C-alpha cells in the first residue's frame, strides 16, 4: 500500500474528458461528480476538464472547464489533443458514451486519443453486446488506445472479453459513484416537497420512452387500492434530444395515461433538472425507488446507484446493472413490463415498515462501498499504476546512425507487372487501393539512382514503371491520369496538378540519368510530347516539380527551349509568391505550410544553377534555411512538419503526424544547397533529416526496417503507423541514395565522416 500511495503522490495533473454541467444529462452529472471527488480527495491534484459540447456557445461552463470540444468538429478533437499534450497532464480519463461524440458511432474521439502520448483510462458507460460495424470499430479503437478500461458491472467485463477480445488485465470494475449521505427517515424530509402523510414511490432521471414509466403508471391502480395515499413521483426533465424532436408530447402521453386509469391525483410529474444536493434530498424523502427500465442490456444506471447509495428500498426490472447491484437481497427484481409484479412488490414494501427499513439498511450498507471518495481512490490507483508502467524511451543521441545501403527489396515487394501498388497493411500490399502515378514515377527515379542494382532487374522494373506512365497519358485532355484500380481501369480522366508535375520531374530525371539509352530516349520523347502541360498548371508545388524535371533536362540538353522556359517562368512566379506572402517572421512562398515543403527551395536552387541566376540560388538558400529551422525540434532533431499543420495561416508547424516524404524532400534540398555552396552546414542538415528515419526523432523510434528496405508510414503521437506504403518506402530509398551520394562527395574532400551499413 505504501508503494501505491507513493505512486499516487507522483500524479499531480490529469485531464478529464466527458460531458460537464451545466449540460443537462446523466453523463455530465457523472463527470462533474468525478471531478469533485478527485479534487476533494486529492487537493493538490490539477484536473483539467475537456467538456464535450453538443451546442457550442449555449452553455456557460464554470472555470473548472479548461476547454470545450465541439461535438461535430473533428478539428476540435485534434486541438484538444494538442492542448492535453502541451499541458503536462500525466494521464487522460475519458468518460465514453456513444451518443456524445461526433462521427459514425462517435469515431471523432479516436482522433483525440490517437494523438496522445500519455496513458489513457476509459470509463465505458455503454457496452454493446451486439454492436454494428461502426460501433465495433470505435470500441476496438478505444480498447487499442486505453491502458485501462473501467466497467461498472462485471457483465461489462464479460462482454468486453467475449465480444471484443479485450484483455482481462486491462479491465477494472469500479462501481458507479454515489453521494456520501447519512441514512435518514424519509418522513423527516417529506414536508419540504409537500408529501406529508403520503407513501412515496420515486423514479428519477431524464424522461424518455426506454425508462418504462408506463409500466409503473399501469401498476398504480392496484397500488392505490391497497395504499390510497400513495404518490408516484416522476422526477426529471424530458431528455433534450426528445424535446428537440417532439417537445413534451411524451410527458403529455404519460399524464393522459395516468388520468385514463383514474390515478392522475396519485402521479406527480416534476419537470426539472435538479442540482446535485436537491436531487439527493428528493431521493431521501422517498419510501421506495423504482426503475422499470425496458432495456435488458443496460449496464450502467446512475439513478439506481444513487438510490442504493442513500439507502432506498428498490424495486427494479432485471437489467444488467440492477441484477448485479441488487443481488443477494439488496433489492427486489421483477420482470420487464410486468405491472402486476411491480404493484405486488411495492404494496408488500409499503405495507411493512419493518421489511422496508431492513431492505433500505442493506442497500445503504452496499452503498458505503460505492461513495465518490472510494471511486476517486480506486481510479487514482489504476492511473498511478498505468503511468508507472509506461515504458521510458531511451534517448539515442549518442548512438551511431549509419547510412543504409539502398535496398530494392521492399519496392519490389510492393510491385507487380502493372506497376507499384499504393498502400499496404503492415508490409503486405493492399490491392484494394490499386496504383497511382505518383508512386510509379518515384519508383522510376529511384531506379536511376540505385547504382549497385543489377542491370537485368533495373531494366525489368524501369520498363514496367515507364509503361505505367505511358498508359497514364490521356492525349484527349493532355494530362496524365493518376489513380488506377487493381483491375487496371482508371479512376479519373486526369490526375491532380501535383501528380502531373511530379511525372514531368521523373521524365526529366530519367532522360538525364537512366543507364540505358532506350530508357533515356523514351523519357526524352515523353517529356517533349507532354511537358507543355506544365505551362497550364497553377499549383506552386506542381511548378516546383516541373522545375526539377526541367533542370534535369537542361543538364542533359542545355539548349532545350521548353525546359528553359519552364524554369524561367516558374522561378519568377515563385519569387512573386514569396514577395506577396513574406512577413518579417515568415520567409515562405505561401501563407500556409503543406506537404513536400522543401521541394520549393530545392527547385529555386536547381533553377538558379541551371539558369546561372544568383538571385534564384539566394532565394532557395534563404527559404531552405527558414523551413529547416521550423523542422527542428527543441532538442535539435529533425521534426517533419506534421499533417495537422497543413492549411494553418501564418502558424508555426505542429509536430504530428510526421510523414517520411518530408525527410526525403529535406535531404534532397540540402543536397542541392551543398551543390550550390559546398558548405558543410548543408551536409550536416541532410544527415540530420536522414537520421529521422533511423530513430533520431521525437519518439526515438526508427521508421526504417533495415532488414528489408521497408519504411513505416508515419510518426504518430503515440507511436508508429506500422503500415508500409509505397510513398514511405520510396522516400527512404531515395533519401538513402541521396545521402549516400552526398557522403561520398564530402568524404572525397574531407575524409571519412560516416559508415555505410
Amino acid at each position: 500500500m505504501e508503494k501505491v500511495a507513493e505512486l499516487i503522490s507522483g500524479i499531480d495533473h490529469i485531464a478529464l474528458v466527458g460531458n460537464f454541467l451545466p449540460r443537462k444529462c446523466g453523463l455530465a452529472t457523472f463527470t462533474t461528480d468525478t471531478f469533485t471527488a478527485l479534487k476533494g480527495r486529492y487537493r493538490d491534484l490539477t484536473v483539467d476538464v475537456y467538456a464535450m459540447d453538443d451546442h457550442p456557445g449555449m452553455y456557460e461552463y464554470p472555470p473548472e472547464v479548461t476547454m470545450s470540444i465541439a461535438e461535430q468538429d473533428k478539428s476540435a478533437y485534434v486541438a484538444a489533443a494538442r492542448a492535453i499534450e502541451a499541458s503536462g497532464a500525466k494521464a487522460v480519463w475519458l468518460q465514453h458514451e456513444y451518443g456524445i461524440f461526433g462521427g459514425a458511432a462517435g469515431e471523432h474521439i479516436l482522433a483525440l486519443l490517437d494523438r496522445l502520448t500519455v496513458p489513457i483510462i476509459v470509463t465505458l458507460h455503454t457496452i454493446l453486446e451486439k454492436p454494428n460495424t461502426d460501433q465495433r470499430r470505435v470500441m476496438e479503437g478505444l480498447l487499442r488506445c486505453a491502458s485501462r478500461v473501467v466497467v461498472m458491472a462485471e457483465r461489462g467485463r464479460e462482454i468486453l472479453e467475449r465480444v471484443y477480445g479485450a484483455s482481462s488485465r486491462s479491465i477494472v470494475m469500479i462501481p458507479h459513484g454515489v453521494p456520501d449521505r447519512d441514512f435518514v427517515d424519509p418522513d423527516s424530509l417529506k414536508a419540504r416537497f409537500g408529501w406529508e402523510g403520503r407513501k412515496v414511490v420515486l423514479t428519477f432521471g431524464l424522461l424518455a420512452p426506454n425508462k418504462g414509466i408506463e409500466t409503473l403508471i399501469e401498476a398504480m391502480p392496484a397500488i392505490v387500492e391497497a395504499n390510497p395515499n400513495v404518490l408516484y413521483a416522476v422526477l426529471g426533465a424530458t431528455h433534450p434530444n426528445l424535446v428537440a424532436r417532439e417537445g413534451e408530447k411524451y410527458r403529455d402521453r404519460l399524464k393522459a395515461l395516468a388520468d385514463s386509469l383514474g390515478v392522475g391525483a396519485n402521479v406527480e410529474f416534476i419537470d426539472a433538472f435538479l442540482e446535485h444536493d436537491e436531487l439527493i434530498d428528493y431521493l431521501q424523502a422517498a419510501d421506495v425507488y423504482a426503475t422499470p427500465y425496458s432495456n435488458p442490456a443496460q449496464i450502467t444506471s446512475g439513478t439506481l446507484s444513487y438510490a442504493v447509495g442513500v439507502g432506498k428500498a428498490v424495486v427494479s426490472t432485471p437489467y444488467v446493472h440492477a441484477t448485479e447491484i441488487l443481488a443477494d437481497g439488496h433489492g427486489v427484481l421483477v420482470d420487464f413490463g410486468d405491472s402486476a409484479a411491480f404493484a405486488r412488490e411495492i404494496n408488500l414494501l409499503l405495507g411493512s415498515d419493518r421489511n422496508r427499513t431492513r431492505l433500505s439498511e442493506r442497500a445503504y450498507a452496499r452503498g458505503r462501498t460505492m461513495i465518490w471518495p472510494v471511486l476517486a481512490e480506486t481510479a487514482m490507483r489504476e492511473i498511478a499504476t498505468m503511468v508507472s508502467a509506461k515504458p521510458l524511451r531511451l534517448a539515442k543521441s549518442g548512438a551511431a546512425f549509419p547510412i543504409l545501403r539502398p535496398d530494392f527489396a521492399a519496392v519490389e515487394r510492393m510491385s507487380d507487372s502493372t506497376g507499384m501498388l499504393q498502400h499496404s497493411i503492415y508490409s503486405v500490399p493492399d490491392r484494394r487501393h490499386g496504383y497511382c502515378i505518383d508512386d510509379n514515377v518515384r519508383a522510376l527515379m529511384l531506379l536511376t539512382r540505385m547504382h549497385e542494382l543489377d542491370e537485368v532487374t533495373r531494366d525489368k522494373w524501369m520498363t514496367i514503371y515507364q509503361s505505367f506512365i505511358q498508359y497514364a497519358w490521356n492525349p484527349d485532355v493532355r494530362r496524365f491520369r493518376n489513380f488506377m484500380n487493381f483491375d487496371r481501369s482508371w479512376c479519373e480522366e486526369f490526375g491532380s496538378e501535383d501528380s502531373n508535375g511530379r511525372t514531368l520531374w521523373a521524365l526529366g530525371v530519367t532522360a538525364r540519368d537512366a543507364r540505358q539509352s532506350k530508357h533515356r530516349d523514351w523519357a526524352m520523347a515523353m517529356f517533349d510530347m507532354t511537358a507543355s502541360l506544365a505551362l497550364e498548371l497553377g499549383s506552386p508545388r506542381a511548378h516546383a516539380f516541373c522545375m526539377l524535371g526541367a533542370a534535369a533536362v537542361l543538364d542533359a540538353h542545355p539548349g532545350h527551349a521548353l525546359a528553359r522556359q519552364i524554369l524561367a517562368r516558374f522561378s519568377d512566379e515563385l519569387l512573386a509568391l514569396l514577395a506577396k506572402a513574406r512577413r518579417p517572421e515568415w520567409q515562405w512562398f505561401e501563407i500556409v505550410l503543406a506537404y513536400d515543403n522543401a521541394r520549393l527551395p530545392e527547385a529555386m536552387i536547381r533553377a538558379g544553377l541551371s539558369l546561372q541566376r544568383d538571385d534564384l540560388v539566394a532565394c532557395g538558400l534563404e527559404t531552405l534555411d527558414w523551413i529547416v529551422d521550423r523542422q527542428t525540434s527543441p532538442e535539435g532533431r529533425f521534426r517533419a512538419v506534421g499533417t495537422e499543420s497543413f492549411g494553418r495561416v501564418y502558424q508555426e508547424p505542429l509536430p504530428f503526424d510526421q510523414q517520411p516524404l518530408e525527410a526525403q524532400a529535406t535531404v534532397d534540398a540540402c543536397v542541392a544547397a551543398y551543390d550550390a555552396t559546398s558548405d558543410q552546414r548543408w551536409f550536416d542538415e541532410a544527415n540530420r533529416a536522414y537520421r529521422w528515419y533511423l530513430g533520431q526523432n521525437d519518439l526515438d523510434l526508427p521508421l526504417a526496417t533495415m532488414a528489408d528496405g521497408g519504411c513505416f508510414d508515419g510518426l504518430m503521437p503515440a507511436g508508429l503507423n506500422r503500415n508500409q506504403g509505397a510513398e514511405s518506402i520510396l522516400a527512404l530509398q531515395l533519401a538513402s541514395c541521396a545521402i549516400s551520394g552526398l557522403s561520398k562527395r564530402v568524404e572525397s574532400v574531407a575524409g571519412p565522416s560516416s559508415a555505410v551499413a
Side-chain angles (χ1 to χ4, degrees):
M1 291 298 293
E2 291 182 4
K3 182 178 181 181
V4 173
E6 182 181 346
L7 290 175
I8 292 175
S9 68
I11 307 299
D12 58 1
H13 189 174
I14 68 170
L16 185 62
V17 182
N19 294 357
F20 207 79
L21 295 177
R23 182 171 175 177
K24 296 180 179 180
C25 69
L27 193 64
T29 301
F30 182 94
T31 310
T32 305
D33 285 342
T34 298
F35 171 86
T36 303
L38 288 168
K39 293 295 292 180
R41 177 63 182 82
Y42 303 100
R43 299 193 179 280
D44 295 331
L45 176 67
T46 297
V47 183
D48 296 334
V49 175
Y50 294 81
M52 296 309 307
D53 201 338
D54 58 342
H55 293 96
M58 174 185 292
Y59 308 114
E60 293 186 13
Y61 286 114
E64 291 83 0
V65 173
T66 301
M67 180 179 184
S68 63
I69 304 172
E71 177 183 310
Q72 298 301 328
D73 182 2
K74 188 173 181 181
S75 66
Y77 294 78
V78 176
R82 292 198 297 265
I84 291 169
E85 285 289 302
S87 72
K90 293 190 171 134
V92 172
W93 189 358
L94 170 71
Q95 308 301 323
H96 180 267
E97 178 65 79
Y98 282 104
I100 71 168
F101 306 109
E107 67 181 354
H108 286 355
I109 190 59
L110 299 180
L112 188 159
L113 300 182
D114 281 340
R115 286 164 171 77
L116 297 177
T117 60
V118 296
I120 299 162
I121 184 169
V122 177
T123 297
L124 299 175
H125 291 259
T126 296
I127 304 171
L128 300 174
E129 194 165 11
K130 296 181 179 179
N132 63 31
T133 301
D134 289 330
Q135 290 163 342
R136 176 181 287 279
R137 174 171 51 80
V138 170
M139 180 58 71
E140 289 175 346
L142 291 171
L143 295 173
R144 181 188 69 244
C145 294
S147 299
R148 291 288 188 281
V149 178
V150 176
V151 298
M152 299 189 204
E154 287 297 337
R155 179 67 181 282
R157 181 197 302 273
E158 186 271 331
I159 293 174
L160 286 177
E161 294 181 18
R162 172 171 52 83
V163 177
Y164 300 95
S167 168
S168 61
R169 293 189 300 272
S170 68
I171 304 170
V172 58
M173 208 287 276
I174 305 178
H176 193 295
V178 301
D180 188 6
R181 285 285 194 99
D182 292 335
F183 184 79
V184 299
D185 181 352
D187 289 340
S188 66
L189 293 172
K190 286 180 180 177
R192 176 176 174 183
F193 307 113
W195 293 347
E196 305 98 319
R198 306 191 75 171
K199 295 297 185 184
V200 179
V201 179
L202 176 69
T203 296
F204 85 85
L206 290 175
L207 204 61
N210 64 345
K211 299 300 178 66
I213 307 300
E214 296 90 342
T215 302
L216 252 296
I217 293 176
E218 289 167 355
M220 283 303 293
I223 298 173
V224 170
E225 183 178 356
N227 298 275
N229 70 340
V230 72
L231 177 70
Y232 177 36
V234 182
L235 172 61
T238 305
H239 196 289
N241 293 343
L242 190 61
V243 172
R245 291 197 304 270
E246 62 174 47
E248 293 291 348
K249 290 182 179 179
Y250 179 63
R251 183 183 297 272
D252 293 339
R253 290 196 297 272
L254 293 176
K255 290 179 179 178
L257 175 61
D259 290 338
S260 71
L261 295 173
V263 294
N266 298 88
V267 180
E268 179 181 5
F269 289 88
I270 305 168
D271 184 3
F273 186 88
L274 301 177
E275 296 297 329
H276 179 274
D277 288 340
E278 188 175 10
L279 172 63
I280 303 306
D281 289 343
Y282 268 103
L283 256 180
Q284 289 187 301
D287 296 285
V288 174
Y289 187 75
T291 56
Y293 298 166
S294 59
N295 179 12
Q298 182 161 343
I299 288 181
T300 304
S301 171
T303 63
L304 176 61
S305 296
Y306 277 28
V308 170
V310 298
K312 290 296 101 180
V314 178
V315 182
S316 174
T317 49
Y319 53 91
V320 170
H321 193 199
T323 59
E324 292 194 15
I325 198 172
L326 301 180
D328 305 321
H330 290 84
V332 179
L333 299 175
V334 300
D335 286 343
F336 295 100
D338 192 341
S339 297
F342 267 105
R344 181 185 67 248
E345 297 299 336
I346 289 172
N347 280 334
L348 286 172
L349 289 170
L350 295 181
S352 173
D353 291 344
R354 177 175 175 273
N355 288 343
R356 189 175 65 254
T357 300
R358 289 178 62 184
L359 183 59
S360 297
E361 289 173 344
R362 285 199 297 273
Y364 185 75
R366 173 153 288 183
R368 297 304 84 207
T369 68
M370 300 160 52
I371 58 175
W372 283 108
V374 173
L375 178 145
E377 291 173 4
T378 306
M380 281 298 290
R381 284 198 297 271
E382 295 298 330
I383 290 171
T385 301
M386 71 183 192
V387 169
S388 68
K390 180 184 177 183
L392 297 175
R393 297 198 306 266
L394 300 177
K396 300 181 180 179
S397 56
F401 289 95
I403 296 171
L404 303 178
R405 293 185 185 277
D407 187 343
F408 194 65
V411 180
E412 192 167 24
R413 180 181 72 223
M414 287 290 293
S415 300
D416 61 17
S417 60
T418 299
M420 191 170 189
L421 291 145
Q422 285 190 81
H423 299 302
S424 71
I425 299 175
Y426 289 88
S427 63
V428 178
D430 186 357
R431 301 181 189 278
R432 294 173 301 171
H433 295 96
Y435 315 81
C436 71
I437 199 170
D438 286 323
D439 296 328
N440 281 273
V441 299
R442 291 186 183 104
L444 182 62
M445 284 192 282
L446 175 64
L447 286 167
T448 69
R449 300 177 183 181
M450 295 189 73
H451 302 305
E452 297 180 8
L453 193 66
D454 72 89
E455 292 306 314
V456 173
T457 300
R458 188 194 312 275
D459 181 50
K460 170 188 172 181
W461 290 109
M462 285 197 75
T463 302
I464 288 173
Y465 301 139
Q466 287 175 323
S467 178
F468 187 99
I469 297 168
Q470 184 169 277
Y471 183 43
W473 175 246
N474 185 344
D476 295 335
V477 296
R478 290 195 54 75
R479 290 288 189 278
F480 290 97
R481 300 178 179 92
N482 190 6
F483 296 108
M484 176 192 280
N485 294 312
F486 183 65
D487 64 4
R488 295 186 177 180
S489 62
W490 291 104
C491 302
E492 62 207 352
E493 288 300 302
F494 56 90
S496 66
E497 289 197 355
D498 288 4
S499 66
N500 274 266
R502 192 176 282 109
T503 303
L504 294 181
W505 174 20
L507 292 174
V509 168
T510 306
R512 181 190 64 191
D513 297 338
R515 299 294 184 90
Q516 297 187 45
S517 60
K518 64 179 180 180
H519 297 309
R520 294 195 303 272
D521 293 345
W522 171 88
M524 197 66 243
M526 283 295 295
F527 186 90
D528 286 338
M529 181 174 67
T530 63
S532 61
L533 72 84
L535 304 177
E536 301 172 16
L537 303 179
S539 159
R541 272 164 192 71
H543 288 176
F545 300 149
C546 293
M547 290 166 68
L548 292 169
V553 168
L554 279 183
D555 287 344
H557 304 279
H560 198 283
L562 180 56
R564 185 171 294 274
Q565 182 184 1
I566 289 170
L567 282 175
R569 177 190 291 188
F570 289 168
S571 58
D572 286 341
E573 289 186 9
L574 285 177
L575 284 174
L577 285 176
L578 178 62
K580 184 177 181 180
R582 174 181 271 157
R583 290 182 176 182
E585 74 286 358
W586 191 267
Q587 305 296 316
W588 195 241
F589 303 94
E590 302 168 294
I591 63 175
V592 298
L593 295 174
Y595 75 100
D596 240 357
N597 292 293
R599 294 299 175 194
L600 297 169
E602 179 191 3
M604 293 298 280
I605 294 169
R606 293 297 181 197
L609 293 174
S610 293
L611 300 177
Q612 298 183 329
R613 285 181 55 179
D614 292 341
D615 63 325
L616 301 184
V617 173
C619 171
L621 294 172
E622 178 185 8
T623 52
L624 179 59
D625 182 74
W626 186 87
I627 195 65
V628 161
D629 184 58
R630 269 128 197 92
Q631 293 178 152
T632 302
S633 73
E635 298 78 22
R637 300 178 176 189
F638 179 79
R639 172 183 284 171
V641 173
T643 57
E644 293 177 2
S645 307
F646 297 176
R648 300 171 73 241
V649 176
Y650 289 121
Q651 295 291 310
E652 288 294 307
L654 299 169
F656 295 105
D657 302 337
Q658 299 180 34
Q659 304 294 310
L661 194 71
E662 305 303 325
Q664 182 220 340
T666 302
V667 170
D668 283 349
C670 291
V671 171
Y674 185 86
D675 289 345
T677 65
S678 299
D679 187 340
Q680 174 75 21
R681 181 263 174 109
W682 297 114
F683 173 64
D684 295 339
E685 292 292 354
N687 263 299
R688 190 165 62 85
Y690 183 73
R691 289 196 295 269
W692 179 87
Y693 294 104
L694 307 180
Q696 197 169 77
N697 52 50
D698 283 314
L699 298 185
D700 293 315
L701 295 172
L703 286 91
T705 59
M706 302 181 188
D708 64 356
C711 181
F712 296 125
D713 275 352
L715 200 65
M716 320 292 283
L720 298 169
N721 177 345
R722 301 187 70 84
N723 294 331
Q724 297 186 30
E727 180 182 287
S728 304
I729 293 168
L730 290 164
L732 169 65
Q733 295 307 322
L734 284 161
S736 294
C737 290
I739 199 69
S740 178
L742 180 60
S743 295
K744 290 174 181 176
R745 291 166 52 200
V746 172
E747 286 175 16
S748 68
V749 175
S753 61
S754 62
V756 177

